[in-house]
C-alpha cells in the first residue's frame, strides 16, 4: 500500500476527483497531512471519504516510540515505521531555529568503515512520504504548524545515502517545500552524500536551491579507499569536478565533511593537500572529530587536534570550522545516530 504523505497536492487532487470529490478537499487533506495529522484526526473531512482513502493508503507512516533529551536541548528520536522497521532522528536547537536530521533509508549499502548505519547493510529505502513524515511528526510534537514552524532547517544526514534513493529524496524536497504544506525553504535543506558523481550531476540539473554536502573524509584516493568503498568507484578528482559543476549550475557553495580519524587522515600534510583540492571555488569544510563506533576499530582525535587541523586550513585560505558537538550526554544511548549529529551551518554563515 502507498503512503498518503507520498502524494503531491496535484496527485491528491486527482485522487479526490477520481472519488467524485470536489478539488478543495485535496487541499484540505494536504494541509492536514502537513500538520502531522492522520485521516481520523481531520475533523473537516467527511467520514466516508476518509474510509475510502484508508482502504487505499497508509496514513500513519511512522510514530515516535522513544525520545532522548540532552542537557543542551538536543533531542534524539526513535521512529517506528508502519512495517516495523526502526529509524532515528536528531533535533538540534540553535538561536536561529531548529534543525532536524532525517533518515533517507533503513540502513545503508555504502559500507563506510567508520559509520554505524551501514553495519547491517541496506534494509530498504524510505519513500518520500516516510522522509516527510519525520519532519511532520516532530513539528507537530513541538507545537508547530504550517505557518509557525518549529522546524526551520532540515539535513538529510541520518541513516542512508540520500542520492542512492534519488527520486524519493527529490520528491521529498518538493513536498516539504510545497506552499500549501509545511513549506520549508529549499535553502534551509542540506543533502549529504558520500559522493555519487552521476547523481550529483543529476541533482545539479534540477537547479534546486538546496545545500549539497559531500562527505570527503580524505585528501587522497589512497586514504579514501581504506575508509570508504565508494572511493573505488569515483575518484576525488571526479567528485571535486562534480562539485564545481553543482556550484556553477546552482550558485550554491558546496560544503565538505571531514571526520578526523587518528593516524588515518589527520596529518598536517593531509590538511595541505585538502587545501589544494578545495581552492578555486566557494566551499566550506566541516571538521568533525570522529565519533567512535564500538564495532569499528577507528580512533578519534581530541578537539584540540581538530582545531589545529581546521586552523591549518584557515591559514592557507580554506574556509574550515570544527563542528560544535551537541547532545553528548545522550549519545551513548543512541546507536547509529551518535555518529551523525550534523548541523547545517551554511545559512547561519551566509
Ligand atoms: N550517506 C550520506 C549521509 C549520511 S551520514 C553521506 O555519506 O554523507 C552523515 C554524515 O555523518 C556523513 O558525513 C558521514 O560520513 C558522517 N559520519 C558517519 N559516521 C560517522 C562517525 N562515526 N563519525 C563522524 N562522522 C560520521
Amino acid at each position: 500500500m502507498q503512503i498518503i504523505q507520498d502524494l503531491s497536492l496535484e496527485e491528491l487532487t486527482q485522487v479526490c476527483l477520481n472519488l467524485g470529490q470536489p478539488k478543495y478537499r485535496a487541499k484540505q487533506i494536504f494541509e492536514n497531512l502537513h500538520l502531522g495529522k492522520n485521516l481520523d484526526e481531520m475533523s473537516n473531512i467527511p467520514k466516508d471519504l476518509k474510509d475510502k482513502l484508508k482502504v487505499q493508503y497508509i496514513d500513519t507512516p511512522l510514530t515516535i516510540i522513544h525520545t532522548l533529551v540532552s542537557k543542551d536541548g538536543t533531542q534524539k528520536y526513535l521512529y517506528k515505521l508502519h512495517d516495523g522497521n526502526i529509524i532515528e532522528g536528531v533535533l538540534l536547537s540553535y538561536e536561529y531555529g531548529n534543525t532536524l536530521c532525517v533518515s533517507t533509508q533503513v540502513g545503508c549499502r555504502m559500507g563506510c568503515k567508520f559509520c554505524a548505519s551501514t553495519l547491517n547493510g541496506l534494509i530498504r529505502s524510505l519513500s518520500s512520504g516516510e522522509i516527510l513524515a519525520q519532519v511532520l511528526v516532530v513539528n507537530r510534537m513541538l507545537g508547530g504548524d504550517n505557518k509557525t514552524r518549529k522546524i526551520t532547517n532540515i539535513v538529510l544526514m541520518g541513516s542512508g545515502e540520500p542520492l542512492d534513493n534519488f527520486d524519493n529524496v527529490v520528491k521529498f524536497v518538493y513536498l516539504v517545500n510545497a506552499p500549501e504544506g509545511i513549506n520549508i525553504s529549499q535553502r534551509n535543506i542540506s543533502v549529504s552524500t558520500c559522493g555519487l558523481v552521476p547523481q550529483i550531476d543529476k541533482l545539479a540539473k534540477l537547479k534546486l536551491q538546496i545545500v549539497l554536502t559531500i562527505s570527503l573524509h580524505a585528501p587522497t584516493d589512497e586514504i579514501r579507499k581504506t575508509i570508504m568503498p565508494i572511493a573505488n568507484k569515483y575518484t576525488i578528482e571526479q567528485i571535486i569536478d562534480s562539485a564545481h559543476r553543482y556550484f556553477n549550475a546552482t550558485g550554491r557553495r558546496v560544503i565538505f565533511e571531514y571526520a578526523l580519524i587518528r593516524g588515518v587522515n589527520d596529518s598536517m600534510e593531509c590538511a595541505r593537500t585538502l587545501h589544494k583540492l578545495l581552492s578555486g571555488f566557494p566551499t566550506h569544510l566541516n571538521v568533525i572529530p570522529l565519533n567512535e563506533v564500538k564495532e569499528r576499530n577507528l580512533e578519534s582525535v581530541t578537539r584540540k587536534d581538530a582545531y589545529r587541523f581546521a586552523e591549518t586550513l584557515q591559514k592557507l585560505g580554506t574556509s574550515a570550522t570544527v563542528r560544535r558537538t551537541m547532545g553528548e550526554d545522550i549519545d551513548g544511548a543512541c546507536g547509529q545516530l551518535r555518529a551523525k549529529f550534523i548541523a547545517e551551518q551554511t545559512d547561519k554563515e551566509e
Side-chain angles (χ1 to χ4, degrees), residues 114-115 157-158 160-161 192-194 215 217 257 290-291 293 339-340:
F114 45 82
C115 180
M157 296 183 186
E161 166 51 47
S192 183
T193 176
C194 62
S215 302
H217 302 323
E257 301 284 328
L290 177 82
N291 289 295
V293 176
K340 46 183 87 63

Side-chain angles (χ1 to χ4, degrees), residues 101-102 104-105 108 110 112-117 156-163 191-195 213-217 224 228 256-261 288-293 296 298 323 336 338-342:
C101 175
V102 301
T104 55
Q105 296 179 315
C108 182
M110 295 299 130
C112 298
K113 293 279 190 289
F114 45 82
C115 180
S117 302
L156 282 76
M157 296 183 186
S159 67
E161 166 51 47
L163 298 190
V191 171
S192 183
T193 176
C194 62
T213 300
I214 300 180
S215 302
L216 197 58
H217 302 323
R224 203 164 189 260
M228 299 177 76
F256 290 89
E257 301 284 328
Y258 197 92
L260 279 174
I261 311 172
I288 319 139
L290 177 82
N291 289 295
E292 289 179 9
V293 176
R296 308 292 202 184
L298 295 169
R323 167 101 46 67
Q336 65 197 47
R338 65 195 289 265
K340 46 183 87 63
F341 33 101
I342 307 292

Side-chain angles (χ1 to χ4, degrees), residues 32 125 138 149 153 200 220 231 243 310 335:
N32 273 305
S125 283
V138 175
R149 289 173 289 270
N153 298 65
I200 292 174
T220 67

Side-chain angles (χ1 to χ4, degrees), residues 30-31 34-35 132 135-136 139 145-149 151-154 172-189:
F30 191 82
E31 279 170 7
H34 281 236
L35 288 170
L132 177 67
V135 179
L136 304 181
N139 186 52
D145 57 30
N146 292 342
K147 296 276 172 295
T148 315
R149 289 173 289 270
I151 295 173
T152 51
N153 298 65
I154 299 169
F172 159 75
V173 172
Y174 288 125
L175 287 172
V176 83
N177 184 220
E180 305 82 2
I182 189 165
N183 194 10
I184 293 175
S185 162
Q186 287 189 17
R187 300 181 73 86
N188 293 353
I189 303 173

